[in-house]
Amino acid sequence: MNNIEAINVKKTFKIRNAKTSNKGDASAPKFYALDGVNLNIQAGEFFVILGPSGCGKSTFLDLIGGLTEPDEGEILIDGKPVEGPGLDRAIVFQQPALFPWRTALNNVSFLLEAKKVEKNSREEIARKYLSLVGLTGFEDRFPYELSGGMKQRVAIARALAINPEILLMDEPFAALDAQTREVMQIDLLKIRDQTQKTVLFITHSIDEAVFLADRVAVMTARPGVIKTIIDIPIPRKSRLSNDVRITREFIETRHKLWELLKEEVVKAQKYSKSSIEDCTPADSRSIKKAPVLSIPLDTRSE
Ligand SMILES: Nc1ncnc2c1ncn2[C@@H]1O[C@H](COP(=O)(O)OP(=O)(O)OP(=O)(O)O)[C@@H](O)[C@H]1O
């Protein structure tokens, strides 16, 4: 079991005005990054979130990972509220963030040390997962000796090695070249078939979403909510056949997703040029009264 449920999840961030407020300023105005996300991701599902830049995708993934807490609402895993990070969930980010002084093998075994797995078993498990991501023979290489795609494979192996029930992936392939990205997508589907993990995957690529997902959620421009969820009508077993991207189902689904997304992308572009007033939820009057309404939203405070 590893079902994820989000119930009316809201998340705000403070707006930091570098001139007048500091980090601990409780009176600093806030804006809604997420404004009532409701979602149910089934155990074993490959669930993808698409949305315009800044709509709150990473914020949502961080909430599931327990890296941050909602202001309102709840995230439940198998019915239990998330109360912080845990080894039941592993996160893979856009940047692999490997320890440069550790070999590939020792990067993968790192979290197993935290789990107090005995040394011989750690090594065996790390080798197994490096092999699963196609890196047999590269165990003793340091990160600077690996390509970008290889480093990301190590990061995926590190995440899988702790045998999490849920794999959270935040644009894991965004920094890779186009060919490596397609190879990694195929490999990820194979790994998913072998490990049967629940996967929550964030991407900006509609093509990637259609190729990987069982279901895709499209988020609105901020404040982010789920605009719609669509089932991908392509059986899992046909994803790995060479020409799935030129099938009618693939092309039609990609088109449908773009139709749903483009309106939000336009809105997001408009918001990024304007003020918080435009993206404040209608019911948050205290925020509307905030004195610094013209501060751009990409000014992070926490
Ligand atoms: N720690 C933080 N402090 C303040 N604001 C934040 C913080 N984290 C995110 N934000 C803001 O919340 C909004 C949502 O950010 P988030 O990173 O979740 O969006 P995203 O959809 O993942 O964007 P992208 O696709 O560009 O990565 C943005 O306006 C962002 O600037």
Side-chain angles (χ1 to χ4, degrees):
M1 286 275 286
N2 34 49
N3 174 276
I4 305 169
E5 198 176 359
I7 305 168
N8 196 27
V9 169
K10 300 191 181 190
K11 177 74 184 170
T12 64
F13 290 112
K14 286 181 208 150
I15 302 169
R16 179 162 55 87
N17 177 341
K19 287 188 186 146
T20 59
S21 65
N22 58 45
K23 216 176 165 188
D25 184 356
S27 65
K30 294 178 178 178
F31 72 95
Y32 277 76
L34 299 173
D35 186 30
V37 172
N38 290 291
L39 204 56
N40 198 332
I41 301 173
Q42 301 300 318
E45 187 171 22
F46 200 122
F47 194 92
V48 173
I49 298 184
L50 272 176
S53 184
C55 73
K57 301 181 294 297
S58 298
T59 301
F60 184 63
L61 184 133
D62 289 351
L63 288 166
I64 295 172
L67 304 181
T68 176
E69 289 173 11
D71 292 76
E72 289 177 45
E74 269 191 312
I75 306 271
L76 306 174
I77 295 188
D78 291 339
K80 295 197 197 94
V82 168
E83 285 173 350
L87 294 173
D88 58 329
R89 284 150 288 148
I91 308 183
V92 180
F93 296 102
Q94 187 173 338
Q95 298 301 333
L98 303 179
F99 295 121
W101 59 88
R102 283 180 167 239
T103 61
L105 190 78
N106 289 334
N107 264 289
V108 175
S109 64
F110 172 71
L111 289 173
L112 298 169
E113 292 169 30
K115 267 182 110 175
K116 306 228 178 310
V117 176
E118 186 257 324
K119 188 166 185 296
N120 286 346
S121 307
R122 285 202 304 262
E123 194 171 315
E124 194 184 321
I125 296 168
R127 284 185 191 284
K128 174 180 149 191
Y129 283 99
L130 279 172
S131 153
L132 190 67
V133 298
L135 284 180
T136 299
F138 293 87
E139 293 86 352
D140 297 328
R141 299 273 185 104
F142 287 91
Y144 75 90
E145 298 174 298
L146 300 171
S147 70
M150 287 169 157
K151 282 191 263 222
Q152 200 56 311
R153 285 169 188 271
V154 175
I156 294 170
R158 179 177 59 188
L160 291 170
I162 58 167
N163 197 19
E165 298 193 355
I166 295 168
L167 200 52
L168 303 171
M169 307 186 88
D170 192 352
E171 299 187 54
F173 305 149
L176 304 178
D177 67 84
Q179 292 94 6
T180 306
R181 188 169 183 158
E182 289 206 11
V183 171
M184 296 283 289
Q185 289 165 1
I186 292 167
D187 288 350
L188 180 60
L189 281 189
K190 288 182 184 160
I191 290 168
R192 194 281 315 270
D193 287 348
Q194 286 177 45
T195 60
Q196 296 299 317
K197 305 285 176 209
T198 305
V199 185
L200 173 62
F201 189 104
I202 288 174
T203 182
H204 280 278
S205 163
I206 300 177
D207 195 86
E208 185 165 80
V210 180
F211 185 71
L212 294 174
D214 296 318
R215 286 192 300 158
V216 177
V218 177
M219 282 182 74
T220 62
R222 67 186 177 215
V225 295
I226 303 296
K227 176 172 177 158
T228 191
I229 297 177
I230 71 160
D231 291 313
I232 302 299
I234 303 170
R236 279 187 176 185
K237 57 180 177 358
S238 27
R239 306 291 173 102
L240 297 175
S241 67
N242 283 339
D243 291 337
V244 71
R245 283 184 166 88
I246 56 164
T247 59
R248 189 167 55 86
E249 289 83 1
F250 194 98
I251 293 165
E252 284 179 2
T253 310
R254 187 170 52 193
H255 177 71
K256 185 170 163 187
L257 281 167
W258 173 235
E259 287 296 313
L260 290 163
L261 193 58
K262 73 180 170 199
E263 189 185 16
E264 303 307 321
V265 173
V266 171
K267 276 191 219 155
Q269 284 173 347
K270 184 178 142 226
Y271 294 159
S272 69
K273 291 182 194 132
S274 63
S275 70
I276 190 167
E277 218 167 2
D278 293 328
C279 49
T280 301
D283 61 349
S284 51
R285 295 189 180 81
S286 58
I287 295 173
K288 281 194 167 173
K289 285 181 204 148
V292 279
L293 295 180
S294 60
I295 294 170
L297 285 184
D298 53 1
T299 316
R300 292 186 171 221
S301 68
E302 288 172 10

